Amino acid sequence: MTEASQPEQRAREGVRGWLLLLCRLLIVFQPLSLAVTASSVLNALFVRGAPVAIVLILRLAVVAFGVAAGRALQNLRPDAPALARLALLISAATDVFVYTTPYFPSNRLPGDTTFYVAASLAYHGAWLAYLARSKRVRQTFG
């Protein structure tokens, strides 16, 4: 296969498998998750004030960045894996911040925060490992 036909071959194959799942999680699941969370936090906005609003805006920005990364992966942009890695790192850092600080209201039981942080880090770490080691990602994005 010649160098000129590789982009055409990638475009025909598209995004499949685990990479497609990652795209869907970034494009669909994260915004839906934020929408559910934001709707449950709106009442606390008037009680807790600016800190909740700032964290909510931060989470919105992180989700928007994740959607951009998912779209870049889906559209086979050359730097999409790097953008997705950055989106996952920022999302993990935001989750840890939200789970470990009192600024964002939650219904977690006392002592459960450690489990939430561990689950979030495992989720993001698994996707980061996939992006780093996947043969499909290397074949698709070079």
Side-chain angles (χ1 to χ4, degrees):
M1 184 179 312
T2 65
E3 195 68 32
S5 66
Q6 276 186 336
E8 295 167 8
Q9 178 68 21
R10 289 188 317 204
R12 276 197 304 271
E13 289 178 5
V15 176
R16 301 182 322 222
W18 291 107
L19 191 56
L20 179 62
L21 178 62
L22 177 59
C23 289
R24 295 297 179 252
L25 287 171
L26 290 171
I27 295 170
V28 178
F29 178 74
Q30 275 193 337
L32 287 176
S33 177
L34 177 66
V36 170
T37 302
S39 67
S40 67
V41 171
L42 286 179
N43 290 333
L45 189 61
F46 299 108
V47 176
R48 293 193 180 192
V52 173
I54 291 169
V55 173
L56 198 55
I57 291 168
L58 171 68
R59 291 187 83 174
L60 180 63
V62 169
V63 168
F65 193 74
V67 169
R71 294 286 298 159
L73 286 169
Q74 194 172 36
N75 293 334
L76 302 174
R77 300 289 184 217
D79 292 330
L83 188 65
R85 279 191 288 276
L86 186 59
L88 288 167
L89 287 170
I90 293 170
S91 179
T94 303
D95 281 357
V96 170
F97 176 79
V98 167
Y99 293 147
T100 59
T101 60
Y103 302 119
F104 204 74
S106 73
N107 291 328
R108 291 185 306 276
L109 294 173
D112 281 356
T113 298
T114 305
F115 300 119
Y116 280 86
V117 169
S120 177
L121 291 176
Y123 168 81
H124 290 93
W127 282 116
L128 287 167
Y130 169 75
L131 286 172
R133 299 184 50 90
S134 170
K135 187 184 248 186
R136 180 182 304 270
V137 172
R138 281 192 303 276
Q139 288 174 346
T140 304
F141 295 98

